[in-house]
Amino acid sequence: MKILAIVGSLRTDSYNRQLALLAKEAVGGRADFELLEYADIPYMNEDIEFPAPEAVARVREAVKSADGVWFFTPEYNHFFPGVLKNLIDWLSRPVGDAERQVLFGKPAAISGVSSGMGGTVCAQDHLVTLLSLLNMRVMNVPRLTIPNAGQQLDGDGKLALTSSKKYLERQADAFIRFLGD
Ligand code: FNR
């Protein structure tokens, strides 16, 4: 089984990227877990849509070959970031005449960590709306929202998830089951 992790932040030390790496640990040997790198895809522009730019073809293939997609999103102004919307806009377009867009019917899990009090709840709600429009099979229970990232760091400033780790582990267990349904 293969899980593709999509992180909605391009920041090198992103808490959400760190959360994805902790999720990989929580999944352990039960599935392959790959982080999608997509900083090189261009802005969606229908002038350059066909043939698909190489970076876009690459991310589509990564999604196609995954059994499920696990999103890790920051919250920017109560929304998920524009880089993630841009990626999903590319993924949402049909690959060819006979093929559906690559997100159609794929299982999806959603987690997020923010430095604010909301823990990405608003961003996740907007993301669910978009993923549902694209007919992904969203696992709504459990979702994982982690507020106040600054309070869960180790001495080196890395995300330690002191109080939230068990919820991440529960979500990993649930997503593995969801993928098997
Ligand atoms: C933020 N941040 C933020 N936090 C929050 O809880 N609610 C919000 O609406 C916002 N809005 C917001 C807008 C913009 C433009 C930025 C850059 C940041 C703070 C955010 O939670 C924090 O920067 C996280 O560390 C971003 O996630 P990564 O990059 O660490 O994964």
Side-chain angles (χ1 to χ4, degrees):
M1 216 146 55
K2 182 173 152 193
I3 295 172
L4 183 70
I6 297 185
V7 177
S9 171
L10 303 182
R11 195 166 82 84
T12 311
D13 293 328
S14 158
Y15 293 137
N16 285 279
R17 191 178 179 87
Q18 293 179 52
L19 183 64
L21 294 173
L22 291 167
K24 181 178 179 157
E25 275 176 31
V27 166
R30 294 177 290 176
D32 287 341
F33 190 105
E34 182 196 319
L35 241 81
L36 184 72
E37 303 296 347
Y38 65 91
D40 55 341
I41 67 166
Y43 288 130
M44 164 47 79
N45 173 348
E46 288 183 77
D47 290 342
I48 60 165
E49 195 177 354
F50 301 107
E54 208 178 300
V56 170
R58 193 195 73 241
V59 295
R60 282 189 179 139
E61 276 311 309
V63 172
K64 250 170 113 170
S65 70
D67 298 293
V69 181
W70 193 342
F71 292 89
F72 297 86
T73 187
E75 179 164 290
Y76 283 0
N77 298 312
H78 289 190
F79 246 82
F80 55 89
V83 289
L84 183 55
K85 177 66 162 55
N86 185 55
L87 170 68
I88 294 173
D89 284 340
W90 276 110
L91 294 173
S92 74
R93 303 287 279 177
V95 180
D97 288 344
E99 276 187 79
R100 285 197 157 123
Q101 52 92 355
V102 294
L103 297 171
F104 194 98
K106 289 266 178 201
I110 305 177
S111 304
V113 50
S114 77
S115 62
M117 283 170 59
T120 75
V121 171
C122 297
Q124 291 194 24
D125 285 345
H126 293 303
L127 187 56
V128 168
T129 302
L130 175 57
L131 301 183
S132 302
L133 169 75
L134 299 174
N135 209 35
M136 291 196 86
R137 194 162 71 83
V138 178
M139 183 177 79
N140 279 301
V141 181
R143 274 157 50 186
L144 180 61
T145 55
I146 303 176
N148 303 319
Q151 294 175 12
Q152 296 205 60
L153 305 182
D154 64 18
D156 297 325
K158 297 282 178 216
L159 194 67
L161 278 198
T162 9
S163 55
S164 301
K165 202 164 221 165
K166 63 175 179 283
Y167 300 107
L168 180 64
E169 285 164 355
R170 277 182 207 164
Q171 198 187 21
D173 296 348
F175 197 38
I176 296 284
R177 280 197 302 275
F178 192 77
L179 292 176
D181 285 347

